[in-house]
Amino acid sequence: MGRCGRSKAAILLPFLLLIWAESAMGRFLVEKNSLKVLSPESIKGNYDSAIGNFGIPQYGGSMAGTVVYPKDNRKGCQKFEDSGISFKSKPGALPTFVLVDRGDCFFALKVWNAQNAGAAAVLVADHREEPLITMDSPEEDRAAAEYIANITVPSALVDKAFGEQLKKALGNGDMVNVNLDWRESVPHPDERVEYELWTNSNDECGVKCDMLMEFLKDFKGAALMLEQGGYTQFTPHYITWYCPEAFTVSKQCKSQCLNHGRYCAPDPEQDFSSGYDGKDVVLENLRQLCVFRVANETRKPWIWWDYVTDFHIRCPMKEKKYGKECAEEVIKSLGLDRSKIEKCMGDPDADADNPVLKEEQEAQIGKGSRGDVTILPTLVVNNRQYRGKLEKGAVLKAICAGFEETTEPSVCLNGDVETNECLHNNGGCWEDKAANVTACKDTFRGRVCECPVVNGVQFRGDGYRSCSASKTTHIRSACAASGPGRCRINNGGCWGEKRDGVTFSACVDSDDGKCKCPPGFKGDGVKHCEGTSASEVKYGWGAVWLVLIVLGLAGGGGYLVYKQRLRSYMDSEIRAIMAQYMPLDSQNEVPNHVDIDRA
Ligand SMILES: *[C@@H]1O[C@H](CO)[C@@H](O)[C@H](O)[C@H]1NC(C)=O
Ligand SMILES: *[C@@H]1O[C@H](CO)[C@@H](O)[C@H](O)[C@H]1NC(C)=O
Ligand SMILES: *[C@@H]1O[C@H](CO)[C@@H](O)[C@H](O)[C@H]1NC(C)=O
C-alpha cells in the first residue's frame, strides 16, 4: 500500500471503529452442535463442531455415521465421481460422514460434491488453529446459488486439532464412528417457542434476498398456525447501520440514512445517483416494524406476514412501486389503522432518535446465548441463531425442536418435517402388510410406533409387536383423544371435505376432542357441515389456503423476472456498506467470524 493509500486508511480507520463500536460490545457466537466420537477408544469423547449455514441440520435429532477421509480430492473441490469415489453406504451399514480439508474452494462446493457422491453428512477440517467459525454460502455467485439450494446434507466445521486426530485414527486403519447431535442446539424449556427473523424489505438484492422472500411466502401458513394457536411468539427485526458523525452531511449518508445519519441501509443498486436509495429501504423497514407493532397491539401480530408478502408482490422495486403510496394501499386492504402506523413511524427527517429503530439497533447486539446479528437473513429460535437453509421444512424442524417434549403442536407432526424412518423396515414397528395398516408414524423427532386408527377403528397394542382392532372402540374415542396430532388421526373423527382442492375440516386440535364446523359452515361437525354465505366462508381456513395458493402462483411469476436482475449483498451487508465508503484492499480487514472460504 502506498503512502496515499495509507493516509486514506488512517482517515477511515475511525470510521471502521465507529461502525463496529456497538458490535464490539457484544460478541459473535458460532452455533455449535455436539459431535461425539463413539470409536476408536483413543479419541472417544465429545467435541464441538460449527453448524454450516446451508444444508439441513437435523434440529431436534441426531445422526450416527462412519467417517471416511477420501484418498484423492481431499479438499473436495472436484467431483468425487471423477476419481471413481463413492460414499454410498451399503444396506445395513452406517451412513458415511465425509471428512474434507478446508481450502481452495467454497465450503458449500465441498459439501455439494460430497453429497453427490453419496455422503450423509460432511465434516470440514479447519486448516489453521482458530476458534470455530460459521461456514457460510457465497452470496454473489449465481452458479453456486443453484447448487446451494439443493444441498440437503448437514455439514459441520471441526477444528484443526480434532481434524488431525480423526485423520490419524483413520490412517491407523481404525473404524471411526461418530454421532452428530442437534438435540441441544435449540433450548426447549417450555411449551412456547420465541423466534425472530432478521429480515429486509429490499427486494432487489440478489440470491439471498430471493430465498428470503420465497421463505416468507412458504412459511407464512405454518407461521400463522403456530402464532394463532399460541404456540409461538414471533418478532420481526430489521438491521440498520449508522453513519459516523463526520460523514452525516456527505452525499452517501444523506441518501442512505434517516434521522440525520442515525439509521442507514446500503443503496439497493449500489448506485447513489439512480433508482432507490438506502433511505427508501430503511423507511419501508420502519413501516414494516410499525405494521407489526400496530397489529400486535390488536393481538393479531400475524398480519405482518400478510403485509410483507403482499407488499412484495404488489410493490416491487422493479416496477417502481416500492414506497409509501403502494404500501398504504396494502395497509388499507389489510384493515390496519394507517394513522397509528404513521404515528409509530415518526418524522424520518428529524434530527432525533426514532424509538422504534433505536430499539432495533440495540437488539442487534448479542445477549445471553445469542451472538450479534450480522448476517441477513438471520433466524433466532429461543434466543439461539439458527444455522442451515432458510427453508420451510428445515426451519419448522428447528422451531419444533424448541418445544418441551410432548408439547409440540400438530404442525410439527406433519409431512413437512418427516424423517422418513418409516420407509426403512417400517421403522421396526408393527404392520399388517395384507391390510396395509402400520403403526409407524413419522415425526420430526424420529419415528414413533403407535397403533393406528383405521376407518374409525382404534387399534390397540404395544405398537411394536402387536396391534389389534378393538371393535367396541369406535371413532368417538379417537375423537375424544386430545392434544397435538389428534386431527391427523382420521381427522379426529370429525367432518372433513375437499372442495375445489381446498380441504375443510371440523377438527380443531385445541378443542378437547370436540368437532366444530369451520367458520362459514354450519352442522354437527361430525357427520356434516354446510357452507353458509360466501362472504362468511372468506374467513375460513380453507379460504386462507386459497389466498396462499393464489399468492404463491402470483409470486412464482414475479420470481422468474427477478432472477435476471441480480446484484447481491444481503449477507455481506457489512462488507458492502464499507466498500461503498472506501475501497477495501482485502476482505481480511472485515471482522471475520463468518466465512465462505473463497479461494
Ligand atoms: C437442483 O434441483 C432442481 C430440482 O430438483 C433441479 O432441477 C436442478 O437441476 C438442481 N440443480 C443442480 C445444480 O443440480
Ligand atoms: C407483542 O405483544 C406481546 C403481548 O401482547 C408483547 O409481550 C410483546 O412485547 C409485543 N411485541 C412487540 C414487538 O411490541
Ligand atoms: C397403503 O396406504 C397408504 C396410506 O394409507 C397408501 O398411500 C398406499 O397407497 C396403500 N398401499 C396399498 C398397497 O394399498
Side-chain angles (χ1 to χ4, degrees):
M1 199 186 267
R3 215 190 112 70
C4 178
R6 190 169 306 140
S7 62
K8 193 171 7 167
I11 294 167
L12 286 160
L13 192 62
F15 167 78
L16 274 175
L17 292 178
L18 269 166
I19 286 243
W20 283 93
E22 274 201 58
S23 33
M25 284 154 59
R27 64 220 150 99
F28 188 94
L29 290 181
V30 172
E31 291 311 316
K32 292 173 187 166
N33 62 326
S34 159
L35 190 158
K36 191 174 196 172
V37 177
L38 307 169
S39 74
E41 203 65 36
S42 58
I43 54 170
K44 211 165 161 172
N46 285 314
Y47 299 85
D48 272 342
S49 62
I51 307 173
N53 209 19
F54 40 77
I56 304 187
Q58 302 295 310
Y59 279 102
S62 67
M63 190 180 187
T66 303
V67 180
V68 168
Y69 185 46
K71 285 199 182 65
D72 291 318
N73 189 18
R74 292 192 145 167
K75 286 184 178 152
C77 295
Q78 268 82 47
K79 288 183 179 164
F80 287 100
E81 297 93 300
D82 291 351
S83 34
I85 300 176
S86 166
F87 302 119
K88 289 202 176 67
S89 55
K90 302 206 174 57
L94 281 176
T96 308
F97 292 2
V98 176
L99 177 68
V100 292
D101 290 317
R102 184 177 174 188
D104 285 2
C105 61
F106 293 138
F107 288 123
L109 182 62
K110 297 170 192 282
V111 177
W112 175 237
N113 284 336
Q115 172 179 314
N116 282 334
V122 180
L123 303 176
V124 179
D126 207 342
H127 56 22
R128 53 178 179 246
E129 276 165 39
E130 62 179 353
L132 289 172
I133 58 163
T134 295
M135 302 189 286
D136 201 10
S137 48
E139 71 282 354
E140 281 141 22
D141 194 313
R142 264 274 124 185
E146 296 225 334
Y147 66 74
I148 288 166
N150 290 13
I151 294 178
T152 53
V153 301
S155 59
L157 184 79
V158 300
D159 66 27
K160 187 169 183 240
F162 177 52
E164 304 284 333
Q165 281 179 296
L166 285 175
K167 288 178 214 169
K168 191 165 158 237
L170 290 164
N172 292 342
D174 285 330
M175 166 120 163
V176 178
N177 285 340
V178 301
N179 197 51
L180 277 172
D181 196 332
W182 295 265
R183 276 176 300 193
E184 299 306 321
S185 298
V186 179
H188 40 91
D190 53 29
E191 67 267 12
R192 195 184 72 179
V193 169
E194 286 83 36
Y195 72 111
E196 44 188 72
L197 179 68
W198 289 80
T199 177
N200 196 341
S201 64
N202 180 354
D203 66 359
E204 282 285 299
C205 65
V207 181
K208 280 228 169 168
C209 202
D210 286 356
M211 278 185 182
L212 170 63
M213 287 302 169
E214 213 137 347
F215 167 73
L216 287 175
K217 287 180 192 170
D218 253 16
F219 197 70
K220 188 170 116 173
L224 291 179
M225 259 186 247
L226 288 165
E227 205 72 11
Q228 289 172 345
Y231 297 112
T232 53
Q233 185 177 44
F234 168 75
T235 316
H237 283 295
Y238 295 80
I239 292 186
T240 60
W241 306 98
Y242 59 93
C243 191
E245 230 159 293
F247 292 83
T248 47
V249 291
S250 71
K251 188 172 158 228
Q252 288 92 324
C253 282
K254 278 194 164 159
S255 71
Q256 299 195 79
C257 308
L258 301 187
N259 297 73
H260 289 239
R262 285 177 177 81
Y263 315 104
C264 317
D267 190 285
E269 304 91 2
Q270 299 178 22
D271 180 351
F272 301 126
S273 53
S274 75
Y276 288 99
D277 290 328
K279 70 166 189 264
D280 300 318
V281 175
V282 189
L283 196 63
E284 178 53 32
N285 287 352
L286 174 59
R287 187 173 290 113
Q288 299 194 350
L289 281 164
C290 286
V291 163
F292 179 79
R293 291 199 171 204
V294 171
N296 194 38
E297 272 170 26
T298 58
R299 298 285 159 98
K300 286 186 184 145
W302 51 83
I303 295 177
W304 178 87
W305 291 86
D306 289 317
Y307 177 82
V308 293
T309 47
D310 286 4
F311 180 82
H312 181 243
I313 291 166
R314 296 175 63 178
C315 316
M317 285 185 178
K318 196 173 45 62
E319 292 171 21
K320 304 233 177 325
K321 287 187 185 153
Y322 184 97
K324 182 171 179 191
E325 202 183 319
C326 186
E328 292 196 334
E329 275 179 38
V330 179
I331 289 171
K332 205 169 119 203
S333 70
L334 292 172
L336 289 163
D337 187 336
R338 215 176 64 191
S339 61
K340 268 192 179 165
I341 291 171
E342 215 148 275
K343 183 155 170 268
C344 163
M345 289 175 70
D347 177 7
D349 296 321
D351 186 2
D353 282 331
N354 176 309
V356 178
L357 289 172
K358 189 156 192 268
E359 238 178 72
E360 291 300 290
Q361 265 178 357
E362 281 162 7
Q364 262 165 259
I365 305 164
K367 267 184 228 78
S369 55
R370 196 210 76 196
D372 298 337
V373 175
T374 52
I375 304 179
L376 264 185
T378 285
L379 182 79
V380 179
V381 181
N382 282 350
N383 211 30
R384 288 278 179 85
Q385 290 194 20
Y386 164 89
R387 292 288 175 238
K389 192 166 158 183
L390 206 58
E391 181 255 348
K392 184 184 169 195
V395 167
L396 208 44
K397 221 174 236 181
I399 290 174
C400 290
F403 291 101
E404 189 187 356
E405 226 156 312
T406 73
T407 65
E408 307 91 0
S410 62
V411 62
C412 290
L413 306 169
N414 71 19
D416 289 321
V417 289
E418 282 175 3
T419 53
N420 286 333
E421 280 180 68
C422 291
L423 296 181
H424 310 294
N425 194 28
N426 198 41
C429 305
W430 171 87
E431 74 178 322
D432 181 341
K433 275 204 176 125
N436 190 24
V437 181
T438 173
C440 191
K441 203 160 30 161
D442 241 335
T443 78
F444 77 98
R445 287 197 200 279
R447 67 105 182 86
V448 291
C449 299
E450 226 169 62
C451 292
V453 177
V454 182
N455 296 332
V457 178
Q458 171 75 58
F459 280 65
R460 302 210 178 270
D462 69 1
Y464 295 93
R465 282 178 307 153
S466 71
C467 287
S468 57
S470 59
K471 290 202 181 63
T472 48
T473 340
H474 192 247
I475 182 85
R476 295 301 303 166
S477 75
C479 207
S482 62
R486 171 175 97 85
C487 296
R488 281 188 72 228
I489 307 167
N490 198 33
N491 204 38
C494 302
W495 172 89
E497 201 171 300
K498 225 178 181 171
R499 292 187 185 173
D500 302 329
V502 182
T503 304
F504 295 92
S505 164
C507 189
V508 191
D509 262 326
S510 51
D511 264 16
D512 0 312
K514 286 197 206 81
C515 302
K516 207 166 89 191
C517 290
F521 285 82
K522 287 208 168 75
D524 66 3
V526 180
K527 290 229 179 67
H528 72 277
C529 290
E530 292 294 331
T532 53
S533 81
S535 65
E536 276 172 325
V537 175
K538 206 172 93 204
Y539 298 104
W541 265 114
V544 174
W545 283 111
L546 190 66
V547 171
L548 283 176
I549 291 163
V550 171
L551 287 178
L553 289 176
Y559 276 121
L560 294 179
V561 184
Y562 292 152
K563 290 203 164 132
Q564 299 163 2
R565 263 194 75 182
L566 298 157
R567 212 140 15 117
S568 156
Y569 59 71
M570 195 103 178
D571 175 56
S572 59
E573 231 160 353
I574 317 147
R575 232 172 248 165
I577 195 169
M578 288 185 188
Q580 284 169 31
Y581 292 109
M582 60 185 286
L584 289 178
D585 285 15
S586 144
Q587 299 194 330
N588 292 340
E589 288 174 35
V590 179
N592 203 352
H593 304 281
V594 181
D595 208 335
I596 57 169
D597 220 15
R598 191 197 301 269

